[in-house]
Every structure is written in structure tokens, then in C-alpha cells.
Amino acid sequence: TATPLAAPHAHMLPLPVGWWQATYPWPEPPPGVQYSSPVQLVFCRAADGTTRLVFGCPPATGGTVVIPIQECYVVINSFSLVRADTGEPVDVQDFSASLDADSWCWGWSASLPAASMPLVRSPAIGDHVELVATLNGTPLHLVVERLARDRRFGEAWLKVSGRGRAAWLADPHAPVATRYNATARTARQLLDDALMVNGVSIGWDLDWRVTDWLVPAGSWSHTGTYMDAATRIAEAAGAYVQAHDTDQTLIILPRYPVAPWHWPTQTPDIDLPEDVCEVEGIEWQDKPAYNAVWIAGGEAGRRDRIRRAGTAADRNAQTIVDPLATDPAMTLQRGTAALGDTGRQAHITLRLPVLPETGIIRPGKLVRYTESGTARIGISRAVQIEQRFPELWQSIRLETHEHEPV
């Protein structure tokens, strides 16, 4: 069947190659007009097994994104950098960005012609310019925090850098405040409260992906910025914070959604062959093979022993003391995170294109990587993007485990 395609007529431009997401800054359609989205131009495998060039074939939702073994992978890269407020384009010589499980937002840097200074530096002291970098259709909202100029004979360049827009919630942009709970609140409610001033929201939402738990009155006391409060509560749950790429949303993710010893039975998010990776590096680490840990709270807290099922639970990790250990849901999550980061591990670094099928592979994705017939499954912990026209690469780091049989 034919799939109708549409593009905003006001732009008089062809659709960009790759995905056209709803977040792309197209204008609102006229009354009665609806734009088709998403749109992709790719080779797609049909139900009868043939491969053909089709228009408007989106990837399957859910399941595993499988990258096939091919002699050649063709990716047409696209990159742009514009001001978030005016849409003015900014010339870029090179661009890089990185994100990992221990960093709550993107860090980035770029080299620009010195003539671009008015576009990236606010004339008002204390104000910072926001930019939007779009990499193969994926937008990132970024804050300019540092500028440096390098002038040589006949040329001058700016080195600009900063963080994602969640930088507004952290030092030095956010105020330091003292917080406590006079009444019983859930952990999520504590974080919702921390993102308020005098009971009014500062405009940031939560995408809460861990099990919530009740915190009795007087168990929560904290001094710091908004982001300090978010990372502290996430740490208690054995989780970490990731800011949304474009929206004012903080995502709370479990460090181990599934215990590593169960990964072989899980369906991975992405299946990568060695053929699509340009560079591979492996670092082996041997950590103590703990199989039990005590989680202890304060006066109103608990004292729970979390152990790996099916083991003798005879190798105890160091006791974790946390005032927020007030509920079995919390101690189980925190204990799973502690026991997950044990035993023999292989940290694999892969350099590959930003493919339409995978996009940017962010921390938290379960990835299966097959090398010389051996499949390893692990969770992505970091990604680094490097752009220098016409090339665009991503380097991801996977945490894989070699667990002893139980």
C-alpha cells in the first residue's frame, strides 16, 4: 500500500535524510493539514523476504533492533547547530558531546570561527545562550558555559563548551537550599518537592522508572541544589539521573534494571555485529564476587540483608548505611545495584556510525555484541559523539559480566 508523505510547504526544502521527528522545529500546520511523521528513506525487508527501497518505513516498535551483517554500511550524516531562541545557524568546524551513567546531562564542546562570538555569548552578564545541536535528526539542547579564543596569523577560532539544559539545576546556576520532610512522603514526592520554590514548581517534570517507597517524617534532610537533591534520592534507590535531551524532564533510571546474571535470558534492545563497528577495545576488571550485602537505615529505617538467590550468600559486601533505607522496596533496589557491580567484568568500547536504526545509543540500553562468533550482552554506560563534516561517529561503552555458575 502507498504511504503518503508530507512536508511543510513554507520551508520549500526536501525532507532531511533519516528520521523526521515531531521535535524537529517545523511550524504548526495550517488548519485541516496534517504532516506525516515519522518519515524515513531506507532499504526495508518485506514480509516475503525481499529487500526494496521504500518510503515511510518506520522501525518496529518494541523488540530488538537487529543490525544485519553487510559488506557496506551507508549513512548520510547531517548536523546543524542553531540558537534555541532565534534559530540562527552557527558555523561549526567540529563538535563533540558525551554522556555517561554518572553524568546527569550531556557535556559538549565545539570549535567555531571567532566571528560567531555574538551568536554564542550573551551581552548581559550572568545570562547564557542555549543552542540546539541536531545530529542525524536527533536534537540536543545545550547551554554555552565557557568560551575561549585562539588567534593565529590569518585566522581566529572559538572553543565553546558547556552542558545540557539541566545545567540550570546545578551549581553555579541553581541556588543551594536545605530540605527536610516534616511529614511522611514517598521518595518521588520528596524529589517533586525539591523541584519547587515556595510550593510552586520550577517547571521541571520527572520520568520516574524505579520502584517508589515511603520515607517517614524526619528521615530526609539535605542541603544542596536541585540536581544535588535528585542525584541523592536516585543514589538511595540504586539509580541514576539522566536529563531529557530537549524537554525539562529528569529521568530516574535503575542502574541495573535486571541483575547482570539474568542478562543472558533477556531480550536486548540492540543487536550489533562486529562488522558495523570500526574500533573495538576491551578492558577486563575483576571485582570481589560478593553475593550478599546489608542495607541499614537510620532510627526509623530498616536493616535488611539482600542476597543473590541460588548462592550460599557467604561473601558479604561492605554494609551500606543510608537514612533513606526505610522500606524493603528501597533496600532491594539498592542491594541489587551493589551486588550487580561485582565479579569479573569486561568493559567494551565500540565506535560505530549513528545509524538510523539505532540513533544515539544512550546509557541504559541492553546491547548484544557479537565478535568472532562470540556474543556478549551488556548494558551501555557511556556514549561519546564526534562530528567533523562529513563524518559523525559514536563511541559507546558496554558493561558486560562473566558470572560464576551458581
Side-chain angles (χ1 to χ4, degrees):
T1 59
T3 301
L5 303 182
H9 61 274
H11 279 260
M12 299 296 291
L13 293 172
L15 284 171
V17 175
W19 281 104
W20 171 39
Q21 299 285 4
T23 52
Y24 196 89
W26 297 110
E28 290 294 323
V33 176
Q34 182 176 1
Y35 300 148
S36 299
S37 176
V39 174
Q40 192 179 29
L41 171 59
V42 292
F43 282 99
C44 289
R45 186 174 298 279
D48 59 4
T50 60
T51 301
R52 63 192 68 174
L53 182 65
V54 299
F55 295 81
C57 177
T61 56
T64 303
V65 175
V66 179
I67 305 302
I69 298 175
Q70 298 177 183
E71 292 185 0
C72 179
Y73 296 88
V74 179
V75 181
I76 302 178
N77 295 315
S78 63
F79 175 82
S80 67
L81 187 67
V82 302
R83 281 187 60 127
D85 54 353
T86 64
E88 294 178 85
V90 179
D91 290 333
V92 179
Q93 182 189 44
D94 57 63
F95 175 89
S96 64
S98 61
L99 178 69
D100 60 60
D102 295 315
S103 300
W104 33 263
C105 73
W106 288 93
W108 69 279
S109 64
S111 296
L112 321 173
S116 300
M117 174 75 81
L119 292 176
V120 295
R121 188 186 189 196
S122 172
I125 297 177
D127 286 350
H128 296 269
V129 172
E130 277 197 30
L131 304 174
V132 180
T134 305
L135 306 97
N136 285 7
T138 300
L140 307 177
H141 276 245
L142 308 169
V143 179
V144 178
E145 295 184 288
R146 293 172 295 278
L147 295 94
R149 188 181 69 177
D150 180 17
R151 185 171 62 183
R152 302 179 184 181
F153 180 77
E155 62 179 17
W157 294 93
L158 290 177
K159 188 71 172 180
V160 297
S161 59
R163 295 173 289 181
R165 70 187 316 183
W168 300 123
L169 303 179
D171 183 72
H173 309 295
V176 173
T178 298
R179 306 171 180 89
Y180 62 93
N181 64 321
T183 60
R185 306 282 281 170
T186 67
R188 176 169 184 167
Q189 288 174 331
L190 292 179
L191 187 46
D192 280 326
D193 295 343
L195 298 175
M196 294 183 180
V197 175
N198 295 326
V200 178
S201 172
I202 62 173
W204 282 76
D205 299 321
L206 291 179
D207 183 353
W208 187 272
R209 301 186 187 180
V210 296
T211 304
D212 205 359
W213 74 96
L214 185 65
V215 180
S219 298
W220 163 246
S221 178
H222 180 266
T223 299
T225 63
Y226 305 118
M227 189 57 70
D228 292 336
T231 55
R232 171 67 188 92
I233 292 174
E235 175 195 29
Y240 60 100
V241 181
Q242 298 275 267
H244 193 278
D245 290 343
T246 58
D247 299 341
Q248 293 190 164
T249 301
L250 296 182
I251 307 170
I252 312 301
L253 294 162
R255 191 165 291 271
Y256 291 96
V258 177
W261 48 89
H262 293 312
W263 288 351
T265 63
Q266 299 298 303
T267 300
D269 299 308
I270 301 172
D271 197 332
L272 293 176
E274 61 182 322
D275 304 66
V276 77
C277 301
E278 187 199 46
V279 176
E280 176 206 88
I282 301 181
E283 176 189 357
W284 283 273
Q285 297 182 11
D286 281 343
K287 297 187 177 183
Y290 299 127
N291 51 24
V293 61
W294 284 96
I295 312 294
E299 294 182 2
R302 298 182 59 87
R303 182 174 172 81
D304 292 339
R305 188 170 186 253
I306 310 301
R307 64 182 183 87
R308 180 180 170 184
T311 69
D314 55 350
R315 288 170 286 187
N316 286 291
Q318 184 176 355
T319 299
I320 296 174
V321 179
D322 193 316
L324 295 180
T326 57
D327 189 283
M330 177 274 182
T331 58
L332 179 59
Q333 292 178 109
R334 185 66 174 273
T336 301
L339 298 181
D341 190 20
T342 59
R344 174 161 291 181
Q345 303 179 16
H347 291 199
I348 303 175
T349 301
L350 304 174
R351 187 172 188 255
L352 67 155
V354 180
L355 300 168
E357 297 89 344
T358 65
I360 298 174
I361 303 175
R362 293 168 177 77
K365 294 291 186 180
L366 198 62
V367 179
R368 180 166 54 213
Y369 171 65
T370 303
E371 181 261 331
S372 299
T374 300
R376 297 175 182 268
I377 189 167
I379 195 167
S380 60
R381 290 303 189 198
V383 60
Q384 180 170 347
I385 307 296
E386 297 175 350
Q387 185 276 336
R388 189 179 182 94
F389 185 81
E391 297 187 354
L392 177 61
W393 296 91
Q394 61 178 328
S395 298
I396 64 173
R397 177 167 54 84
L398 304 180
E399 176 190 324
T400 70
H401 288 248
E402 300 174 10
H403 282 285
E404 300 175 5
V406 296

